[in-house]
Each structure stands twice: as C-alpha cells, then as structure tokens.
Amino acid sequence: MGGDMVKADMSQLQLDYFTYEELADRIRALTQGPSGRQVLGMATYGSSAPDGASGSAGHAWPHVALPALGEQASGWAEVWSVPADAPAVQIGHRAGVGFSRSADLAFVWLSTPLSTQDHELQAATRQAYDAVFDALRGLGHPHPLRFWNYLPDILGAMQGEERYRIFNTGRHAAFNTHGSLVQGQPPAACALGQPEGLSGPLVVFALASTRAAQPVENPRQVSAYRYPPQYGAQRPLFSRATVAGVGNESTVLISGTASILGYETVHIGDVQAQTEESLNNIEALLGEVGRCHPCAGLRMADLQLKAYVRHPADWATVREVVQRRLGSHPACIYLQAVVCRPDLLVEIEAAAARST
Ligand code: 3EB
C-alpha cells in the first residue's frame, strides 16, 4: 500500500475534476485511453448542469447548483473511476435512489424536491437518508464511506429553528433507524447551502462499500457528533475523515473542514486566517491518518481539494493561501456556497484518490 495509493495507473478508485468545457473529451480520454478506466460515479457543480455531456448516455448524475469560482470553468464534474479490469459498472435505481457499482464500491444519489416549509425539510431529509440506507443494504454495499449534502437556504430559520439543524434532526432519525450500519463509525460528510434563493432540491449522494471504513478524528477538534447542544440538539453525524480499503489500496476521504478549534469558530471575519486554519486542520487529519493507518507518508500535495467560499470576492484570497500552502497544486476547485455556520467564510474538503 503506502505510496502506491496515489499512482494513477494503480488506482482502484480515482478522482478527477474536469471542467464542463473539457468534460466530453476528458471522459473519452479516461475511458478509452491507455488506462481505459470505467466511470463509477459523477457529480456536477455549476450554476446549471452541463448540457448533454454527462459522459454516460441518457443517464442523469446528481447536479449541485453551486456556482464555480474563477475564470477556468463554467462548472466542474467530479468523476470517480475504477480500473478497466474491475467488474463492469452496473447502473440503475432502487426506490428512487440512483446507483452505480463495481466490486466493493457503490455510488448512490438522490435529489428530493423541497418546499420552503421547514417541517418538510426534516421529513425530506429523513426519507432521503432512509432511502439511501435501504438502497445500500439492498445492493450489498451497506457501509457509507462519505456523504455529500446540499440544500437551499441552509442558514434560514423558521419558527426559531435553523434549517441546518432541522436537516440534522432528520439525518439523526435516519441514522438511528439504520444505526447498525454505521454504529460508532459515521461516514465522512459535508453539508452546504446554495448561495441564493430558497428553492432547489435536497441533493444527497454517497460513496459506499461492502467493507466498513475506518473513521479518523481530528485531535484539534471536538468530534462533531459530540458538539455541545448550542450547535443543535441533534448533533451533526459525521467523522472528520474516513480511510477506506479499496482493493489492495486505501482511499482517504476528508470531510468538509473549517476554521474550527475545539467546537468554536476561530478567526471570525478573517477569510485568510480561516483558510489557513482549515488547512491546518486537514494537515492534522493527515497526521492522524498516518499514525493510525498503513498509508503514512501521504502529503498535503497528494490531496485533491474542493473549497467552498461564502463570498465570491474572497476567492482570490482563498486561492492565494491554498497555493502558498500546497505549491502551485492544480487540484483545488472553488465553488460558491453557504457554509453551515454564519461565521464560517470557507470550508475545504479533500480526498486522496487521485490521478497524476
Ligand atoms: C464543522 O466542522 C463544519 O453536517 O455533514 C463539516 C462537515 C460541517 C460536515 C455535516 C458539517 C458537516 O462542523 C460544518
């Protein structure tokens, strides 16, 4: 294992970010080139979905309506692929949940229309998670490794309750019901809001496995599932990172990571310092991964990053910090999104499942 996990032609699970503009060509090169990989799953991020270029004929991958920041792209596709000689990727749906799978891995997704009624957000979240857990169990991939959650108006409140907390209540209810699947080892996750407007679906997707992943916590932070009740009676259920065995390799999936020490936001109002602290937290997580798992030696430069920036005007500052810390590392994409605490200006997630 060790260093092999980042070699493209060895990767059991590989992550690539392609712009909408180059998506069709890059998918062709990925699947028909010398490496001849298979697309396991994909999500697209942009103000609108790419037209007709999703790379899998007639198939709707999840779309997240977050604007891309920077000049390079009108949107980004996040593409997970498996080797040519893995079992053929099988695509379908089960009870409203889209899925694709090959060998140990599955990608599942669900987009639920929401009304602006908060009580319906709780029920919708619970139903979405119940459906995903049911689908995963039915597919024989009962272990979620990583969830992505996107919802409109995440910081809005009605009847005194913030929508992120209502989402957490729904997520809690589903995790309780399906607790045996994730007991003591919640998956990695992120939860972000669309920047404007109240409308839009709840989009949930996940990578899952036949095998449980190992959760990793950050020694600089209180585990989110132990946050004090001021952050909501039902706590956010996620691990700071998970390490998943995929074939004979390991993939590291790092949750959305923000400028939080202990349980409190630090550097309020200072986007540069928040970006530094988020990267410090990711670095600490990598240290933990190296201590606990046989993939020590994984460096920051081996990660592929996705930065969610609250205010478009802060993009250049965030990028400057990321590039200074990681070198002229190309593998960070930037999206505009509302992070789930009003005082957080940036959140960064990462994975080491990379092509070169
Ligand atoms: C935090 O550390 C910032 O609710 O699934 C990060 C990652 C955050 C995941 C989630 C929330 C979630 O608390 C917010």
Side-chain angles (χ1 to χ4, degrees):
M1 233 161 359
D4 285 350
M5 63 186 289
V6 296
K7 283 184 193 154
D9 54 356
M10 309 271 295
S11 294
Q12 296 293 317
L13 179 61
Q14 179 175 312
L15 168 61
D16 290 286
Y17 288 111
F18 300 142
T19 64
Y20 281 6
E21 286 74 12
E22 62 184 11
L23 180 55
D25 287 345
R26 297 295 295 272
I27 292 284
R28 211 171 299 121
L30 181 75
T31 57
Q32 293 167 20
S35 60
R37 299 181 64 85
Q38 307 181 69
V39 173
L40 172 69
M42 184 188 310
T44 58
Y45 300 86
S47 299
S48 56
D51 32 65
S54 65
S56 181
H59 194 70
W61 297 108
H63 174 70
V64 180
L66 297 180
L69 296 175
E71 297 93 36
Q72 315 98 306
S74 56
W76 291 98
E78 177 177 67
V79 179
W80 299 92
S81 63
V82 295
D85 60 3
V89 172
Q90 183 197 0
I91 299 188
H93 356 168
R94 279 179 98 97
V97 178
F99 73 84
S100 53
R101 61 171 164 174
S102 171
D104 279 355
L105 291 169
F107 182 71
V108 290
W109 66 95
L110 184 64
S111 185
T112 307
L114 290 175
S115 81
T116 52
Q117 298 298 306
D118 285 359
H119 65 276
E120 292 180 26
L121 173 62
Q122 182 178 329
T125 304
R126 184 186 182 151
Q127 283 159 19
Y129 268 82
D130 279 344
V132 166
F133 283 131
D134 283 342
L136 290 176
R137 195 178 41 214
L139 289 167
H141 294 69
H143 302 287
L145 309 173
R146 178 28 162 136
F147 274 102
W148 286 261
N149 302 287
Y150 301 95
L151 58 149
D153 196 26
I154 194 167
L155 293 178
M158 264 175 71
Q159 291 135 21
E161 185 77 320
E162 181 190 81
R163 281 165 60 85
Y164 174 57
R165 297 180 183 202
I166 295 166
F167 164 84
N168 274 314
T169 305
R171 175 166 58 177
H172 234 273
F175 270 68
N176 276 343
T177 307
H178 304 269
S180 61
L181 301 177
V182 287
Q183 220 156 41
Q185 45 190 26
C190 61
L192 282 303
Q194 286 152 21
E196 280 161 17
L198 305 181
S199 64
L202 168 68
V203 179
V204 175
F205 50 94
L207 274 172
S209 176
T210 55
R211 298 190 262 165
Q214 301 216 30
V216 177
E217 289 300 297
N218 183 345
R220 309 174 85 231
Q221 297 185 314
V222 171
S223 296
Y225 49 80
R226 300 208 175 99
Y227 278 166
Q230 74 213 63
Y231 296 96
Q234 305 300 326
R235 287 152 174 117
L237 289 175
F238 67 94
S239 292
R240 298 297 180 184
T242 49
V243 181
V246 180
N248 58 355
E249 298 176 1
S250 296
T251 291
V252 179
L253 299 160
I254 295 180
S255 291
T257 302
S259 180
I260 295 173
L261 290 177
Y263 52 79
E264 286 173 321
T265 303
V266 293
H267 313 302
I268 289 171
D270 184 343
V271 72
Q272 179 174 337
Q274 287 201 9
T275 307
E276 299 273 13
E277 205 67 75
S278 302
L279 293 173
N280 292 343
N281 278 328
I282 289 176
E283 213 154 36
L285 274 167
L286 279 190
E288 283 298 291
V289 168
R291 238 170 31 80
C292 309
H293 301 278
C295 43
L298 187 62
R299 295 151 305 155
M300 290 291 274
D302 295 323
L303 296 175
Q304 281 166 295
L305 308 177
K306 188 198 290 160
Y308 300 99
V309 180
R310 178 79 182 265
H311 303 297
D314 288 339
W315 164 68
T317 305
V318 173
R319 187 184 60 162
E320 189 274 319
V321 174
V322 169
Q323 291 190 345
R324 175 161 44 74
R325 290 282 293 266
L326 302 179
S328 56
H329 180 55
C332 183
I333 70 163
Y334 299 87
L335 301 170
Q336 184 190 354
V338 179
V339 184
C340 63
R341 288 185 187 185
D343 50 17
L344 289 174
L345 300 171
V346 62
E347 179 175 307
I348 304 176
E349 64 183 46
R354 98 182 275 250
S355 69
T356 48

